[in-house]
mmCIF file of all heavy atoms in Angstrom:
data_model
loop_
_atom_site.group_PDB
_atom_site.id
_atom_site.type_symbol
_atom_site.label_atom_id
_atom_site.label_comp_id
_atom_site.label_asym_id
_atom_site.label_seq_id
_atom_site.Cartn_x
_atom_site.Cartn_y
_atom_site.Cartn_z
ATOM 1 N N VAL A 229 0.434 27.684 13.080
ATOM 2 C CA VAL A 229 0.941 28.703 13.998
ATOM 3 C C VAL A 229 0.341 30.052 13.632
ATOM 4 O O VAL A 229 0.309 30.426 12.452
ATOM 5 C CB VAL A 229 2.483 28.807 13.938
ATOM 6 C CG1 VAL A 229 2.988 29.811 14.982
ATOM 7 C CG2 VAL A 229 3.135 27.449 14.131
ATOM 8 N N LYS A 230 -0.132 30.772 14.638
ATOM 9 C CA LYS A 230 -0.648 32.130 14.427
ATOM 10 C C LYS A 230 0.139 33.081 15.318
ATOM 11 O O LYS A 230 0.268 32.865 16.520
ATOM 12 C CB LYS A 230 -2.140 32.206 14.756
ATOM 13 C CG LYS A 230 -2.760 33.576 14.482
ATOM 14 C CD LYS A 230 -4.224 33.615 14.894
ATOM 15 C CE LYS A 230 -5.078 32.805 13.943
ATOM 16 N NZ LYS A 230 -5.201 33.475 12.624
ATOM 17 N N THR A 231 0.674 34.136 14.716
ATOM 18 C CA THR A 231 1.457 35.145 15.441
ATOM 19 C C THR A 231 1.450 36.443 14.638
ATOM 20 O O THR A 231 1.330 36.423 13.409
ATOM 21 C CB THR A 231 2.900 34.680 15.652
ATOM 22 O OG1 THR A 231 3.659 35.758 16.237
ATOM 23 C CG2 THR A 231 3.563 34.252 14.364
ATOM 24 N N ASN A 232 1.587 37.575 15.330
ATOM 25 C CA ASN A 232 1.644 38.851 14.610
ATOM 26 C C ASN A 232 3.037 39.138 14.050
ATOM 27 O O ASN A 232 3.274 40.188 13.455
ATOM 28 C CB ASN A 232 1.175 40.002 15.511
ATOM 29 C CG ASN A 232 2.056 40.161 16.738
ATOM 30 O OD1 ASN A 232 2.964 39.363 16.981
ATOM 31 N ND2 ASN A 232 1.791 41.195 17.542
ATOM 32 N N ARG A 233 3.968 38.194 14.248
ATOM 33 C CA ARG A 233 5.324 38.336 13.679
ATOM 34 C C ARG A 233 5.658 37.072 12.875
ATOM 35 O O ARG A 233 6.672 36.428 13.047
ATOM 36 C CB ARG A 233 6.328 38.568 14.804
ATOM 37 C CG ARG A 233 6.140 39.942 15.480
ATOM 38 C CD ARG A 233 6.757 40.023 16.853
ATOM 39 N NE ARG A 233 8.195 39.788 16.844
ATOM 40 C CZ ARG A 233 8.947 39.718 17.950
ATOM 41 N NH1 ARG A 233 8.364 39.842 19.141
ATOM 42 N NH2 ARG A 233 10.243 39.519 17.883
ATOM 43 N N ALA A 234 4.743 36.744 11.977
ATOM 44 C CA ALA A 234 4.806 35.480 11.242
ATOM 45 C C ALA A 234 6.068 35.362 10.385
ATOM 46 O O ALA A 234 6.713 34.307 10.362
ATOM 47 C CB ALA A 234 3.558 35.327 10.374
ATOM 48 N N GLN A 235 6.428 36.411 9.684
ATOM 49 C CA GLN A 235 7.583 36.316 8.790
ATOM 50 C C GLN A 235 8.900 36.205 9.567
ATOM 51 O O GLN A 235 9.821 35.496 9.161
ATOM 52 C CB GLN A 235 7.619 37.531 7.849
ATOM 53 C CG GLN A 235 6.454 37.570 6.871
ATOM 54 C CD GLN A 235 6.256 36.243 6.147
ATOM 55 O OE1 GLN A 235 7.192 35.693 5.559
ATOM 56 N NE2 GLN A 235 5.033 35.724 6.190
ATOM 57 N N GLU A 236 8.959 36.869 10.704
ATOM 58 C CA GLU A 236 10.155 36.765 11.550
ATOM 59 C C GLU A 236 10.291 35.342 12.098
ATOM 60 O O GLU A 236 11.386 34.755 12.102
ATOM 61 C CB GLU A 236 10.046 37.766 12.700
ATOM 62 C CG GLU A 236 11.284 37.790 13.597
ATOM 63 C CD GLU A 236 11.144 38.797 14.736
ATOM 64 O OE1 GLU A 236 10.227 39.636 14.690
ATOM 65 O OE2 GLU A 236 11.973 38.706 15.678
ATOM 66 N N LEU A 237 9.170 34.785 12.544
ATOM 67 C CA LEU A 237 9.196 33.410 13.038
ATOM 68 C C LEU A 237 9.525 32.447 11.906
ATOM 69 O O LEU A 237 10.271 31.478 12.101
ATOM 70 C CB LEU A 237 7.847 33.056 13.675
ATOM 71 C CG LEU A 237 7.730 31.627 14.226
ATOM 72 C CD1 LEU A 237 8.791 31.361 15.289
ATOM 73 C CD2 LEU A 237 6.341 31.371 14.787
ATOM 74 N N ARG A 238 8.998 32.728 10.738
ATOM 75 C CA ARG A 238 9.277 31.844 9.599
ATOM 76 C C ARG A 238 10.771 31.765 9.346
ATOM 77 O O ARG A 238 11.323 30.671 9.154
ATOM 78 C CB ARG A 238 8.544 32.359 8.350
ATOM 79 C CG ARG A 238 8.876 31.565 7.089
ATOM 80 C CD ARG A 238 8.095 32.027 5.888
ATOM 81 N NE ARG A 238 8.419 31.196 4.737
ATOM 82 C CZ ARG A 238 7.728 31.181 3.606
ATOM 83 N NH1 ARG A 238 6.655 31.958 3.478
ATOM 84 N NH2 ARG A 238 8.100 30.410 2.601
ATOM 85 N N GLY A 252 -1.502 33.361 5.003
ATOM 86 C CA GLY A 252 -2.129 34.605 5.445
ATOM 87 C C GLY A 252 -1.126 35.461 6.202
ATOM 88 O O GLY A 252 -0.005 35.038 6.492
ATOM 89 N N LYS A 253 -1.529 36.652 6.560
ATOM 90 C CA LYS A 253 -0.627 37.608 7.209
ATOM 91 C C LYS A 253 -0.075 37.081 8.526
ATOM 92 O O LYS A 253 1.128 37.229 8.805
ATOM 93 C CB LYS A 253 -1.371 38.919 7.445
ATOM 94 C CG LYS A 253 -0.509 39.986 8.118
ATOM 95 C CD LYS A 253 -1.310 41.254 8.362
ATOM 96 C CE LYS A 253 -0.466 42.287 9.091
ATOM 97 N NZ LYS A 253 -1.253 43.522 9.390
ATOM 98 N N ASP A 254 -0.912 36.475 9.326
ATOM 99 C CA ASP A 254 -0.496 36.050 10.670
ATOM 100 C C ASP A 254 -0.407 34.533 10.831
ATOM 101 O O ASP A 254 -0.179 34.046 11.946
ATOM 102 C CB ASP A 254 -1.479 36.590 11.719
ATOM 103 C CG ASP A 254 -1.479 38.115 11.765
ATOM 104 O OD1 ASP A 254 -0.449 38.713 11.434
ATOM 105 O OD2 ASP A 254 -2.536 38.678 12.123
ATOM 106 N N ASP A 255 -0.595 33.787 9.768
ATOM 107 C CA ASP A 255 -0.650 32.322 9.865
ATOM 108 C C ASP A 255 0.457 31.667 9.046
ATOM 109 O O ASP A 255 0.728 32.070 7.902
ATOM 110 C CB ASP A 255 -1.995 31.794 9.355
ATOM 111 C CG ASP A 255 -3.160 32.287 10.205
ATOM 112 O OD1 ASP A 255 -3.128 32.040 11.414
ATOM 113 O OD2 ASP A 255 -4.071 32.920 9.646
ATOM 114 N N ILE A 256 1.082 30.657 9.630
ATOM 115 C CA ILE A 256 2.048 29.843 8.903
ATOM 116 C C ILE A 256 1.782 28.363 9.208
ATOM 117 O O ILE A 256 1.261 28.021 10.259
ATOM 118 C CB ILE A 256 3.515 30.195 9.247
ATOM 119 C CG1 ILE A 256 3.772 30.050 10.751
ATOM 120 C CG2 ILE A 256 3.881 31.582 8.752
ATOM 121 C CD1 ILE A 256 5.230 30.277 11.141
ATOM 122 N N ALA A 270 10.144 30.117 19.191
ATOM 123 C CA ALA A 270 9.379 31.352 19.359
ATOM 124 C C ALA A 270 9.706 32.017 20.692
ATOM 125 O O ALA A 270 9.871 33.249 20.772
ATOM 126 C CB ALA A 270 7.880 31.043 19.285
ATOM 127 N N ILE A 275 8.829 35.889 20.465
ATOM 128 C CA ILE A 275 7.725 36.041 19.515
ATOM 129 C C ILE A 275 6.453 35.474 20.154
ATOM 130 O O ILE A 275 6.421 34.302 20.521
ATOM 131 C CB ILE A 275 8.026 35.308 18.191
ATOM 132 C CG1 ILE A 275 9.264 35.919 17.513
ATOM 133 C CG2 ILE A 275 6.816 35.349 17.254
ATOM 134 C CD1 ILE A 275 9.727 35.164 16.278
ATOM 135 N N PRO A 276 5.416 36.289 20.295
ATOM 136 C CA PRO A 276 4.184 35.793 20.918
ATOM 137 C C PRO A 276 3.445 34.841 19.970
ATOM 138 O O PRO A 276 3.421 35.044 18.750
ATOM 139 C CB PRO A 276 3.373 37.065 21.158
ATOM 140 C CG PRO A 276 3.849 38.020 20.101
ATOM 141 C CD PRO A 276 5.310 37.718 19.900
ATOM 142 N N LEU A 277 2.834 33.801 20.545
ATOM 143 C CA LEU A 277 2.052 32.851 19.767
ATOM 144 C C LEU A 277 0.593 32.918 20.197
ATOM 145 O O LEU A 277 0.285 32.870 21.384
ATOM 146 C CB LEU A 277 2.579 31.423 19.973
ATOM 147 C CG LEU A 277 4.025 31.149 19.551
ATOM 148 C CD1 LEU A 277 4.378 29.693 19.821
ATOM 149 C CD2 LEU A 277 4.241 31.486 18.071
ATOM 150 N N TYR A 278 -0.307 33.036 19.230
ATOM 151 C CA TYR A 278 -1.738 33.061 19.507
ATOM 152 C C TYR A 278 -2.393 31.705 19.215
ATOM 153 O O TYR A 278 -3.490 31.437 19.687
ATOM 154 C CB TYR A 278 -2.413 34.163 18.682
ATOM 155 C CG TYR A 278 -1.763 35.512 18.859
ATOM 156 C CD1 TYR A 278 -1.433 36.300 17.767
ATOM 157 C CD2 TYR A 278 -1.458 36.005 20.140
ATOM 158 C CE1 TYR A 278 -0.828 37.548 17.927
ATOM 159 C CE2 TYR A 278 -0.860 37.233 20.310
ATOM 160 C CZ TYR A 278 -0.543 38.005 19.198
ATOM 161 O OH TYR A 278 0.069 39.226 19.363
ATOM 162 N N GLU A 279 -1.695 30.908 18.427
ATOM 163 C CA GLU A 279 -2.175 29.546 18.152
ATOM 164 C C GLU A 279 -0.972 28.673 17.842
ATOM 165 O O GLU A 279 -0.050 29.078 17.139
ATOM 166 C CB GLU A 279 -3.137 29.523 16.966
ATOM 167 C CG GLU A 279 -3.659 28.110 16.648
ATOM 168 C CD GLU A 279 -4.553 28.066 15.413
ATOM 169 O OE1 GLU A 279 -4.928 29.140 14.905
ATOM 170 O OE2 GLU A 279 -4.860 26.941 14.957
#
Side-chain angles (χ1 to χ4, degrees):
V229 184
K230 183 183 288 289
T231 174
N232 61 355
R233 292 160 60 185
Q235 294 310 308
E236 183 180 347
L237 179 59
R238 175 177 182 167
K253 180 182 177 182
D254 296 332
D255 297 303
I256 57 175
I275 298 174
L277 299 180
Y278 307 132
E279 180 184 350

